[in-house]
Amino acid sequence: MSRMQARDIKTADDARRIVEERGLSHVKVGMFDIDGVMLGKYMRRDKFFAALESGFSFCDVVLGWDSKDELYDNVSFTGWHTGYPDAPLTIVPDSCRDLPSEGEDMLLFLAEFDGPASDICPRGLLKRVLARAREMGFEVCGSLEYEFFMFQETPESIREKGFRDLKPLTPDMMGYSMLRSSVHSELYHELLALSEAMDFPIEGLHTETGPGVLEAAIAVDDALAAGDKGALFKTFTKVWAQRRGLMATFMAKWSPDYPGQSGHIHLSLRDIASGKSAFFDPEGPYRMSAIQRHFVAGQQKLMPEWLAMFAPTINSYTRLIPGFWAPTDATWGVENRTTALRVIPGSDKSQRVEYRLGSADANPYLALSAAIAAGLCGIEQRLEPDAQVKGNAYELDHPEHQALPRTLWDAAQRLKASSEARQWLGDAFVEHFAATREWEERQFRRAITDWELDRYFEII
């Protein structure tokens, strides 16, 4: 009998069999929190088998603290007022993956929250949105592409330097450089091999404009799998880099001297009944069907209200400025990279829309959920988009209703006030996520920046 392969696992019985076949004493189990940070632990074999049958529990503080393990003081779901109880989780058997960095036999499984915690679980949110899509007769296909900067630094060295004077992997602005990718081909090959082994296959990898910056496009899949692949790609690219004495960052903008880092989302719908693209109409303008037009209109309408899900950190908003390849208003265009939404004409297979607003620091599950739900809302309401932008969107004046919030606080207020967000994402999620973004802003307001010291310390 041939050896079982991790990505062939579909059921709890399959998961049990592969662990037994490989003689593993432990497996690794992880989940993603509200910021898209992967958390988890090693789980002993007998505990894992029991969890396959009846689930397991994890302290719900992982949904009640921020990316620095500081406790939120403004969320109702959990806190000192609840005593931080355990929350139930379910193992996802078909998420099984090999972990090449931990030997040829080690396995990783994803888990998702169950019970009340499922209302704010990022993966659970995406599943609910996709269930709504199926009820409307659509399957959703998606892919994510990320820009990330690489440094010749370690977690220790960046802190010793106070995050200043960091040494990029390579110098200068050399986008699409064959020189850079050839000189460092071993690193590229290792990352490509990792992406295949862990099933987040990279279909394109190249340098972008900036010292040490790369862009990776992950292959298209159904939208839930795309969320898993994006989240795992970000986590294990960082793992891969640090194991080699390097660091990768996905923060939206690490330096004012260079463009920010995007997390673009490509989406299309397929009609379940016919199996054909719901976006493709060979007779329509730009081959856009009415369904795609309504989808784009929903994304455009709700972009200002749902911005916090695509730009979830204080740093995200330093990227959203004119002339740095990031949109500043809820605009759309055909094959226009200055707009927030880029319609890409193609065939039944390739007709799609690219949501260019997203930052690399966004939680992949939440960004996908929002991009898809907004489009479905547009279909449901039969919305029509504003006139498309032709030419440079940065140089044009746009209607006031297309303006995006300029701060995380303002974005959180718009999300809380959005009736469509509550309808499509749920009251529990909207209240919790908006509160976490308000917390993030309040934490920032306590900080004294280098800019303030330089500007005011002596002269004022």
Side-chain angles (χ1 to χ4, degrees), residues 212-231:
V213 62
L214 304 181
E215 179 173 335
I218 304 171
V220 65
D221 208 327
D222 71 82
L224 182 60
D228 290 339
K229 291 179 180 186

Side-chain angles (χ1 to χ4, degrees), residues 364-376:
Y365 295 111
L366 301 189
L368 280 165
S369 296
I372 295 165
L376 296 175

Side-chain angles (χ1 to χ4, degrees), residues 102 163 361:
E102 301 191 26
F163 296 88
D361 59 359

